[in-house]
């Protein structure tokens, strides 16, 4: 059976949108995601909301999961890779500020996507490869810098789990608290839980 939405060939002029239109499209995708969740989001809904033909969506992104991940990347969640204050505590407090400043990091939005990852293998793989792995690598590098500076204990049992410790409250706040974390709450968590688990005593 021939697919009605074949992958676009290189240079396919129909797969391209002006930058401004692409930005508007990504904003529409995120709004639909907030309104109805990942399972409720369809290419038809995005097409209507963004005033872009469904054929163009499929030619450019090929699937719903790729379109959603592209929209999440466009929002530039927290730019953790650029954080380097000279101390681990300073780094974590800056991460808290950046994370809570960005809409894409909202608990409701991430919870909707992460829930869908359990049943959508393509979404899970694409998110890990293009978004989560990048942030996890940046957090691991942050921990290595702290070890190199003599702040963090290289033998701390929690050190290999540093990225998970940092990300956990962002992903679970809405589920456990009923609301998203603010910067102060995240900073308090980092001070009480993450830093004691990895820093050298004294």
């Amino acid at each position: 059976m021939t697919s009605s939405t074949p992958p676009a060939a290189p240079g396919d002029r129909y797969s391209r949108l002006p930058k401004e239109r692409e930005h508007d499209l990504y904003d529409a995708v995120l709004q639909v995601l907030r309104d109805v969740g990942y399972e409720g989001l369809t290419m038809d809904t995005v097409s209507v909301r963004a005033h872009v033909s469904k054929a163009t969506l499929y030619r450019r992104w090929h699937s719903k999961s790729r379109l959603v991940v592209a929209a999440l990347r466009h929002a530039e969640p927290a730019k953790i890779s650029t954080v380097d204050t000279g101390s681990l505590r300073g780094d974590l407090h800056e991460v808290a500020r950046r994370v809570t400043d960005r809409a894409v990091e909202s608990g409701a939005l991430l919870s909707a996507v992460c829930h869908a990852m359990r049943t959508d293998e393509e979404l899970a793989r694409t998110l890990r490869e293009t978004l989560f792995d990048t942030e996890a690598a940046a957090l691991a590098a942050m921990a290595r810098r702290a070890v190199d500076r003599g702040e963090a204990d290289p033998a701390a049992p929690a050190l290999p789990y540093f990225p998970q410790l940092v990300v956990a409250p962002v992903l679970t706040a809405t589920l456990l608290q009923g609301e998203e974390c603010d910067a102060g709450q995240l900073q308090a968590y980092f001070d009480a839980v993450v830093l004691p688990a990895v820093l050298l005593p004294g």
Side-chain angles (χ1 to χ4, degrees):
M1 181 175 178
T2 303
S3 171
S4 61
T5 56
D12 182 352
R13 65 188 178 91
Y14 295 107
S15 69
R16 298 175 183 174
L17 289 172
K19 279 292 182 185
E20 183 176 339
R21 294 284 290 118
E22 193 169 294
H23 293 172
D24 291 343
L25 169 66
Y26 289 145
D27 289 342
V29 172
L30 294 178
Q31 189 56 57
V32 173
L33 193 60
R34 293 185 188 98
D35 291 346
V36 302
Y38 181 81
E39 289 85 353
L41 184 149
T42 66
M43 293 298 226
D44 285 311
T45 306
V46 173
S47 173
V48 171
R49 185 76 63 94
H51 306 290
V52 175
S53 75
K54 190 165 68 169
T56 297
L57 297 179
Y58 275 110
R59 288 192 184 99
R60 172 66 176 82
W61 289 278
H62 312 316
S63 67
K64 179 175 86 169
S65 61
R66 292 186 184 183
L67 175 59
V68 168
V69 172
L72 292 170
R73 291 190 67 191
H74 165 73
E76 297 182 303
K79 293 187 177 178
I80 291 174
S81 61
T82 65
V83 174
D84 188 358
T85 66
S87 74
L88 187 57
R89 185 172 189 269
D91 288 349
L92 288 176
H93 279 220
E94 179 61 20
V95 166
R97 284 188 287 270
R98 295 191 186 192
V99 162
T100 53
D101 278 346
R102 305 304 297 184
V104 72
E105 291 289 339
S106 70
L109 187 58
L110 279 179
S111 293
V113 175
C114 290
H115 178 268
M117 287 175 67
R118 292 183 294 185
T119 55
D120 189 321
E121 292 182 4
E122 182 184 13
L123 174 66
R125 181 179 64 255
T126 307
L127 269 172
R128 289 191 184 101
E129 290 176 353
T130 65
L131 190 63
F132 293 159
D133 284 356
T134 300
E135 301 302 323
L139 289 169
M142 184 183 295
R144 287 195 298 272
R145 289 196 302 270
V147 170
D148 292 342
R149 286 193 299 261
E151 288 182 279
D153 181 359
L159 195 63
Y161 305 103
F162 181 78
Q164 292 94 321
L165 288 171
V166 174
V167 171
V170 180
L171 297 179
T172 61
T174 303
L175 177 64
L176 297 178
Q177 300 173 190
E179 61 183 7
E180 302 166 23
C181 286
D182 61 29
Q185 290 173 317
L186 274 182
Q187 289 167 347
Y189 166 83
F190 293 151
D191 287 347
V193 176
V194 181
L195 290 172
V198 299
L199 291 183
L200 284 165

